[in-house]
Amino acid sequence: MAAVVSQRKKLANRIMIAAVLVTTFIMLIPIYWIATTSIKSFSDAVAVPPKIFFQPEMTGLVKVFTKRTQLRAPKYKITDQTLESLEADGVPGDVLVELAAVGKLYRTESQFTDAVNEALGPERATDYLALVVRYATISDPTPEKYADARWYEKLIYDSGEKILRASPYPNRLWNSVLISIVSTVLSVAMGTLTAYGFSRFRVKGEKDWLFFILSTRMLPPLVIIVPLFLMYRAVGLIDTHLGLIILYTAFNLSFSVWLMKGFIDEIPVEYEEAAMIDGYTRFEAFRKIVIPQSVTGMAATAVFCFITAWNEYAFALVLTARRAQTAPPFIPSQVGSGLPDWTAIAAGTVLFLIPVVIFTFMLRNHLLRGVTFGAIRK
Amino acid sequence: MAAIRLDSVTKKYDGVIAVDDLTLEIQDQEFYVLLGPTGAGKTTTLRCLSGLESAHEGRVFIDNKDVTDWSPANRDVAMVFQQYSLYPNYTVRENLSFPLKSRIRNITPDERNRRVEYVAKTLRIDHLLDRATDKLSGGEMQRVSIGRAIVREPQAFLMDEPLSNLDAKLREALRLELKRLQRELGATLLYVTHDQVEAMSMADRIGVIRDGVLIQSDKPFEVYNRPKNVFVAGFVGTPKINFLEGHVTDGNLTLKGTTDTFRLKTEVMDKIGNVSGEVIVGIRPEDVNLQQQQDENTCAAMIYLVEHMGMENWVSVRIGEHQQIRAVTDSAFEADVDATIYYSFEQEKLHFFDQNTEDSLVL
């Protein structure tokens, strides 16, 4: 067949490939944007026009994993240390004595210089002011602290902040992984069993049941979020892993049932009947014949369920706060006071994308066969 | 191997009766063929027997044990399906040993291997043992499914049109093989088909079924020569039997739409109880004689079509206005279309049926 491809077909083929490439390119732009933003400095990230070439840095990534506070402005105070340093630099003793009287802590440089001027008089003040200010400045962090700091601490100091403690982001990611995986396993397992029942047995009102199952997906989730919140509060499921797992499983189940029914319907019932006659129970036949045959379908269903649970935002935002909070509501909560820190948000998002990419990549063979199922069956 | 008995089995699907009060007995080591058109209830009967379906009424006995409420696994019958019979993703060897791995059978791995090898050799598929099932031809596939049935040494074999997806030549070859195998194994075998050639060539007994009712259960010879009604007569035999409407008065048979009249012999009249009135007459094509000369018991007809089959010719002739008769002649027979020819019947081979009930009038 391939040998007799006409010129026109060849051309059409090339155009198709070009179209696919262009589409892929367009689709990848947001990913590229997020990925680059995550390794830009804050000023590069918000630059207009956007910067294509930039010095990559890890600040955004460090920010996701830390709780930070703004550095304080420098303060000024003449301490014993200041006096010793001045003496070492050859400042005369009488000046030092007078300076020692300026014992107060000053919050701005102008107040401090005013005080020094007053203490020393204008003439001497002009001679020594620069030195005095240098030695009396208490910066945040102190130079010693800065010198001792680890590389990531320095990055944060450089951006005008200091680290208070580690952020709960790893914990939130873990919550996401746990909740998504458990709810995916549950919805695929329950969906497969339900679909098998609908596919193989005469169920009274089968069409109505299936429609009913699907109808659970027919209204926007936000509509039920308030009653759900009240119910969850009443039974103590707020901010628990179990709460989200139940919710996501229920949410994905209808989808899972419908998808799996399609796959199982395609498996000839003769296989199981043969197995049952060959001395196996229905459940054994299901396990040994139907499950291996529907692995593809289960993989495709699992990917869809996983992505839905992984990306869910609204319920997670409302129903969890700390203990069971997932990554999606956590990432934007990093928008602190002032300008949103896009580098931190982008870094969080990139990390958030990785598990789902890995999961999908692992199942890619099944997925491709899964979504083209029916079309390529003999 | 064991005898099988169905006792007044009735099965309904959504209120539609698929099998109607069917009673059937299959002897030990018998090759029994259930023959009928599509939708006659053959497969349903088989499924009730295997336990895949449960009958609404009636009992099922295997080896004189009432197995009506037993699961398919416990009934210990083997089944060969029309298609999709091999487990996918398994090799031939795994397919063959699958029934032996069941928990209800307790067979050691050594014994398992021995049996698989033996069956593979018997069916001449030993060179295919490690092949994936989707790399097999249709004939090889069915041979493996038959092997999977044999390897268990079950109480009985149930086969649901196992050959109908194969091409004609292969079907013929496997037919012979199946018959030989059944003899060698001394197997009780219930075989379901809509192909009367398969039924005639293999069966010890044939059961003809229609609309869930077993019409006739007899040896192939009896089914062919003493059909119980018009349906059985028409279903069995190639080329198909001729049905003619006729009228019997005082031992004379007059065919409808013609003036053709035959004087029936006394023994023929005795056989059908000296009926008179409207009847349906059945005569198999090989029992129709054609000749060029007229004599006292022949009538005139016109050649309509001559089909050359090689070893014989099938000749269709027109009698009267609308009726047609087909005759089998030897291959030397030559005639022009529309030429006049004279025909007669082997009177002993005439079948008479009641016009209303279509049942045979033979006593």
Side-chain angles (χ1 to χ4, degrees), chain B residues 194-258:
Chain B
H194 63 267
D195 182 349
Q196 53 95 16
V197 179
E198 279 180 16
M200 294 298 288
S201 62
M202 291 190 291
D204 294 327
R205 273 197 306 153
I206 295 176
V208 183
I209 187 172
R210 183 176 64 162
D211 298 337
V213 179
L214 189 66
I215 299 169
Q216 187 171 3
S217 177
D218 252 325
K219 294 197 166 67
F221 180 85
E222 294 290 318
V223 172
Y224 191 76
N225 290 303
R226 298 168 68 91
K228 269 240 175 82
N229 65 13
V230 167
F231 173 76
V232 176
F235 201 74
V236 175
T238 310
K240 198 177 177 239
I241 191 169
N242 299 296
F243 288 118
L244 303 163
E245 288 176 48
H247 193 89
V248 179
T249 30
D250 302 331
N252 287 319
L253 169 67
T254 310
L255 299 178
K256 199 174 178 183
T258 69

Side-chain angles (χ1 to χ4, degrees), chain B residues 127-306:
Chain B
H127 58 291
L128 303 172
L129 274 178
D130 293 309
R131 204 173 289 183
T133 49
D134 53 357
K135 301 273 191 311
L136 300 178
S137 70
E140 288 166 342
M141 276 189 182
Q142 273 323 46
R143 235 186 245 146
V144 175
S145 0
I146 292 168
R148 202 180 57 200
I150 293 172
V151 78
R152 288 170 42 187
E153 300 170 7
Q155 298 281 352
F157 295 109
L158 309 176
M159 301 200 177
D160 190 0
E161 313 216 7
L163 305 184
S164 55
N165 276 17
L166 306 177
D167 63 66
K169 277 202 179 122
L170 202 58
R171 207 152 55 211
E172 205 170 303
L174 270 175
R175 226 154 57 200
L176 286 173
E177 213 167 313
L178 206 56
K179 181 67 186 165
R180 173 186 65 86
L181 207 62
Q182 182 263 339
R183 282 248 178 79
E184 277 176 15
L185 297 170
T188 308
L189 201 158
L190 175 57
Y191 187 102
V192 157
T193 183
H194 63 267
D195 182 349
Q196 53 95 16
V197 179
E198 279 180 16
M200 294 298 288
S201 62
M202 291 190 291
D204 294 327
R205 273 197 306 153
I206 295 176
V208 183
I209 187 172
R210 183 176 64 162
D211 298 337
V213 179
L214 189 66
I215 299 169
Q216 187 171 3
S217 177
D218 252 325
K219 294 197 166 67
F221 180 85
E222 294 290 318
V223 172
Y224 191 76
N225 290 303
R226 298 168 68 91
K228 269 240 175 82
N229 65 13
V230 167
F231 173 76
V232 176
F235 201 74
V236 175
T238 310
K240 198 177 177 239
I241 191 169
N242 299 296
F243 288 118
L244 303 163
E245 288 176 48
H247 193 89
V248 179
T249 30
D250 302 331
N252 287 319
L253 169 67
T254 310
L255 299 178
K256 199 174 178 183
T258 69
T259 54
D260 299 356
T261 303
F262 297 93
R263 176 86 203 147
L264 297 175
K265 293 178 183 169
T266 14
E267 57 264 39
V268 174
M269 283 306 289
D270 285 348
K271 204 169 73 179
I272 58 173
N274 293 309
V275 290
S276 66
E278 304 285 323
V279 292
I280 298 171
V281 178
I283 182 76
R284 297 207 178 269
E286 64 268 27
D287 300 326
V288 178
N289 298 321
L290 296 181
Q291 58 194 69
Q292 303 289 352
Q293 291 83 34
Q294 185 171 19
D295 64 33
E296 57 190 291
N297 227 348
T298 61
C299 291
M302 264 161 53
I303 300 281
Y304 182 68
L305 180 69
V306 180

Side-chain angles (χ1 to χ4, degrees), chain A residues 157-180:
Chain A
Y157 285 139
D158 293 347
S159 67
E161 288 178 315
K162 63 178 174 187
I163 295 171
L164 290 177
R165 57 177 179 274
S167 83
Y169 187 63
N171 169 267
R172 303 298 190 256
L173 265 185
W174 169 245
N175 283 343
S176 270
V177 169
L178 186 75
I179 290 168
S180 302

Side-chain angles (χ1 to χ4, degrees), chain A residues 291-330:
Chain A
I291 295 283
Q293 283 289 290
S294 51
V295 162
T296 291
M298 290 166 80
T301 310
V303 168
F304 288 124
C305 289
F306 184 81
I307 291 175
T308 310
W310 184 255
N311 287 349
E312 204 286 321
Y313 177 76
F315 285 121
L317 181 70
V318 173
L319 298 179
T320 62
R322 288 163 193 284
R323 232 160 51 78
Q325 193 184 41
T326 53
F330 175 81

Side-chain angles (χ1 to χ4, degrees), chain A residues 170-200:
Chain A
N171 169 267
R172 303 298 190 256
L173 265 185
W174 169 245
N175 283 343
S176 270
V177 169
L178 186 75
I179 290 168
S180 302
I181 287 182
V182 174
S183 75
T184 299
V185 168
L186 284 177
S187 10
V188 173
M190 286 158 68
T192 305
L193 285 171
T194 312
Y196 180 77
F198 274 118
S199 177
R200 294 297 193 251

